Amino acid sequence: GAVVSQHPSWVICKSGTSVKIECRSLDFQATTMFWYRQFPKQSLMLMATSNEGSKATYEQGVEKDKFLINHASLTLSTLTVTSAHPEDSSFYICSAHPGLALDEQFFGPGTRLTVL
Amino acid sequence: QKEVEQNSGPLSVPEGAIASLNCTYSDRVSQSFFWYRQYSGKSPELIMSIYSNGDKEDGRFTAQLNKASQYVSLLIRDSQPSDSATYLCAVGADGLTFGKGTHLIIQP
């Protein structure tokens, strides 16, 4: 159990375009999902916390108008990178949290974004 | 600002030996601690979680937590070449704060 999927697994786009990444919890309901970003040889950095039915909470330094997050259901959160630029190229990973205190997060397989 | 510190390595351990990975954290009120394994190009995979002081064992893995010292460790017994990966220490109850990871190499 506790499977999280992401789509697409990789994407290459031109500078200025928008890219949408989907994160789904396949066998449990996730009241909270998280979006992380990992640059090469760096650790995961939390970008935002996504709660079903409410606005996402962004970490300091993350532009909310650039990284749009929608958590419309208990099994789906989407991250849209708007007007992507080469510096947005990174490994984007989502995780899902069943919602109980101290519960473990389950990570998706990640999406490799390359902006040309 | 919450910080999680790990020695980046690489840590080289002979096959069959014990690998010891260490982590310190800055947020004294942290309650949840996790060790993840990450292979190159892949997302993190949960190895262990620990919430109380002391040791927690799961197969070849033992996590140790000392909240007074703000210190978490992971021991891997009978190390195998397949254990070669980057091990990430993470702290937090919601959004996790990750260390930069320790690159572990198990030498056959």
Side-chain angles (χ1 to χ4, degrees):
Chain A
V3 178
V4 177
S5 70
Q6 274 185 249
H7 179 80
S9 56
W10 60 270
V11 57
I12 301 173
C13 69
K14 294 182 178 180
S15 183
T17 60
S18 295
V19 175
K20 179 185 283 188
I21 303 170
E22 292 186 350
C23 176
R24 294 182 185 272
S25 56
L26 299 184
D27 52 4
F28 67 99
Q29 292 185 329
T31 57
T32 306
M33 290 183 172
F34 303 92
W35 288 95
Y36 295 83
R37 178 169 56 181
Q38 186 177 34
F39 292 108
K41 299 193 183 299
Q42 299 293 316
S43 192
L44 280 76
M45 295 295 291
L46 178 66
M47 298 176 65
T49 300
S50 170
N51 295 299
E52 187 266 337
S54 63
K55 290 184 178 181
T57 303
Y58 291 82
E59 295 299 301
Q60 190 174 8
V62 177
E63 300 175 57
K64 63 180 181 180
D65 294 331
K66 181 173 184 61
F67 299 99
L68 302 180
I69 293 173
N70 184 283
H71 194 155
S73 76
L74 288 172
T75 59
L76 173 64
S77 177
T78 60
L79 169 68
T80 301
V81 183
T82 63
S83 186
H85 289 93
E87 58 266 30
D88 299 322
S89 299
S90 188
F91 192 40
Y92 291 85
I93 310 171
C94 72
S95 70
H97 192 305
L100 300 177
L102 304 183
D103 249 353
E104 302 161 359
Q105 295 181 26
F106 301 98
F107 282 83
T111 297
R112 178 77 58 189
L113 171 63
T114 301
V115 184
L116 302 176
Chain B
Q1 186 175 358
K2 300 176 184 178
E3 294 184 347
V4 177
E5 299 288 340
Q6 294 180 256
N7 188 322
S8 61
L11 174 65
S12 186
V13 173
E15 182 176 358
I18 296 175
S20 178
L21 305 166
N22 305 313
C23 169
T24 59
Y25 60 95
S26 65
D27 188 359
R28 186 170 288 277
V29 300
S30 297
Q31 297 291 320
S32 307
F33 307 87
F34 306 92
W35 282 100
Y36 286 88
R37 177 173 61 197
Q38 186 176 30
Y39 294 110
S40 181
K42 303 295 185 182
S43 70
E45 171 192 6
L46 181 66
I47 298 295
M48 293 281 289
S49 60
I50 186 166
Y51 307 106
S52 304
N53 279 331
D55 296 359
K56 178 182 178 182
E57 185 175 319
D58 184 1
R60 295 187 295 114
F61 299 94
T62 298
Q64 299 173 318
L65 173 61
N66 183 325
K67 291 185 179 180
S69 300
Q70 296 174 240
Y71 176 87
V72 194
S73 67
L74 179 69
L75 300 178
I76 306 175
R77 290 181 298 281
D78 188 23
S79 297
Q80 303 297 310
S82 59
D83 294 328
S84 298
T86 297
Y87 288 80
L88 303 171
C89 174
V91 177
D94 293 313
L96 297 176
T97 300
F98 282 85
K100 290 187 176 181
T102 297
H103 183 44
L104 176 64
I105 299 172
I106 306 301
Q107 297 177 320

